[in-house]
Amino acid sequence: MATILAIESSCDETSAAICIDGIMRSNIIATQAVHQKYGGVVPELASRAHQQNIIPVVQEAVAAAKINKKDIDAVAFTRGPGLLGSLLVGTSFAKAFALANDIHLVEVNHMQAHVLAHFIDDPKPAFPFLCLTVSGGHTQIVLVRDFFNMEIVGETNDDAAGEAFDKTAKILGLPYPGGPLIDKYAREGNPLAFPFPEPQIPGLDFSFSGLKTSILYFVRDRLKADPDFLKNNMNDVCASVQYRIITILINKLRKAAKQYGINDIAIAGGVSANSGLRAMMQEAAEKYNWSVFIPAFQYCTDNAAMIAIAGYYKYMNKDFASQDIAPLARMNF
């Protein structure tokens, strides 16, 4: 039996998990509230919070799994991509823990881990499958041939889908993080109330910067005519914005599914927690005869469980890292 301690510290969540033989025994996440008043993640504050949180989070994960730290066979950690200072905290802790306990060290690519989060629980997709990975920093369509063979076949040329949500929320005067608030208001609104344009980007790539600009001008013009426009129409505006972002994603995913002849479709990343995306994915599944896979909510946002499952498969493949490894803010897929 392989017991893996996993560390995730790529952005503003400090997380630790314990995985035993591919089964998740604990997944502890400490979220940083300090960034809310700044309207976004402040890298220096994030790294300081990781330093404060990492030891208590690891201790809680070990206790929740009802094991002793001497039972751990390897420590998996997020090497990148992410905020360099934040990654440095997790990487340094993992290296020190592995050295002190004379156990293996396993590096994990954060974006690959989002894809492999689908193998934490049942049902699991069959290879090959397509995974739409959508988060605050990334929007990608990934062709997944096996655990260690993934290819990005489409990605954003500018803003990520999560950025489109958060920047739209700022335009609407909503506090950070704005994506969940847009989702909340959208549930009570009409998604067809205000038709926003769909960017015409060739191939399987995405673009959200033009949509963001059109929303900015739309809100500016409506507020000139009616200062209470947002107050009276917030639900419909949020529903319309969310509808357009999601249709952009699903239309590209449909094109990729047709191009590669694949009907096993997965979504991952923080935006996959969005209720509108989940609902429209299920509608697309019925319409296009897809088998759709969506991780449990706790495995969508940044978490150590996805690092643990990725680390487990790498451990079984004897893919170990050395003590001279360093974190990478940018990391090839």
Side-chain angles (χ1 to χ4, degrees):
M1 294 176 63
T3 300
I4 310 293
L5 165 65
I7 307 294
E8 156 60 19
S9 67
S10 64
C11 190
D12 61 338
E13 274 93 15
T14 313
S15 183
I18 297 291
C19 170
I20 301 178
D21 242 23
I23 307 298
M24 217 54 58
R25 297 297 179 91
S26 65
N27 183 39
I28 308 301
I29 304 171
T31 301
Q32 302 173 4
V34 67
H35 308 286
Q36 292 179 357
K37 64 181 177 181
Y38 298 103
V41 177
V42 181
E44 178 62 26
L45 294 180
S47 58
R48 289 179 188 176
H50 284 304
Q51 288 179 309
Q52 295 170 348
N53 292 338
I54 193 161
I55 291 177
V57 164
V58 169
Q59 288 177 329
E60 188 175 348
V62 171
K66 297 180 180 178
I67 65 167
N68 187 286
K69 69 177 184 179
K70 296 298 182 182
D71 299 326
I72 297 170
D73 298 302
V75 53
F77 67 97
T78 303
R79 186 184 184 190
L83 301 175
L84 191 57
S86 296
L87 291 167
L88 187 60
V89 175
T91 302
S92 299
F93 180 91
K95 289 167 67 173
F97 189 94
L99 190 63
N101 292 281
D102 194 24
I103 59 176
H104 291 295
L105 196 60
V106 182
E107 63 161 303
V108 174
N109 182 304
H110 179 85
M111 298 311 298
Q112 290 182 351
H114 271 304
V115 175
L116 294 179
H118 292 91
F119 293 91
I120 296 173
D121 290 333
D122 290 325
K124 299 177 176 67
F127 299 118
F129 66 92
L130 290 171
C131 183
L132 173 67
T133 307
V134 276
S135 67
H138 298 83
T139 300
Q140 303 169 335
I141 298 177
V142 182
L143 174 59
V144 187
R145 298 185 179 92
D146 64 40
F147 296 114
F148 311 107
N149 187 345
M150 306 181 195
E151 178 187 357
I152 297 172
V153 296
E155 60 187 333
T156 183
N157 293 329
D158 38 63
D159 289 351
E163 285 179 283
F165 275 114
D166 286 339
K167 289 179 180 178
T168 295
K170 194 168 186 177
I171 292 170
L172 300 179
L174 299 176
Y176 175 87
L181 288 174
I182 289 181
D183 188 17
K184 177 183 175 182
Y185 287 116
R187 294 173 196 174
E188 306 298 326
N190 175 11
L192 303 179
F194 305 107
F196 291 106
E198 179 174 359
Q200 300 303 306
I201 307 299
L204 300 177
D205 288 340
F206 302 89
S207 173
F208 292 98
S209 63
L211 173 63
K212 178 195 63 180
T213 302
S214 70
I215 294 167
L216 177 66
Y217 291 156
F218 168 83
V219 171
R220 181 199 65 183
D221 294 344
R222 292 299 179 112
L223 287 177
K224 279 184 180 178
D226 177 12
D228 293 326
F229 172 75
L230 286 180
K231 180 181 177 182
N232 297 328
N233 296 275
M234 183 64 78
N235 291 345
D236 286 347
V237 172
C238 288
S240 300
V241 167
Q242 180 164 286
Y243 176 80
R244 175 49 70 209
I245 292 173
I246 293 170
T247 53
I248 290 170
L249 296 171
I250 290 182
N251 287 342
K252 289 291 187 177
L253 199 49
R254 180 189 173 196
K255 188 174 182 180
K258 186 175 180 181
Q259 180 174 323
Y260 289 97
I262 293 174
N263 286 334
D264 274 19
I265 310 295
I267 60 172
V271 180
S272 64
N274 179 278
S275 64
L277 177 57
R278 286 172 172 247
M280 290 184 69
M281 282 293 291
Q282 296 299 343
E283 292 174 11
E286 296 177 11
K287 187 174 181 180
Y288 305 123
N289 196 31
W290 290 350
S291 294
V292 169
F293 301 87
I294 307 174
F297 182 84
Q298 66 170 317
Y299 304 136
C300 291
T301 53
D302 292 348
N303 66 91
M306 68 183 194
I307 306 302
I309 199 69
Y312 168 74
Y313 287 114
K314 294 190 79 171
Y315 177 88
M316 299 305 290
N317 202 42
K318 301 188 185 304
D319 187 357
F320 305 131
S322 63
Q323 279 287 335
D324 62 358
I325 197 165
L328 297 172
R330 294 175 180 269
M331 190 172 180
N332 293 333
F333 198 84

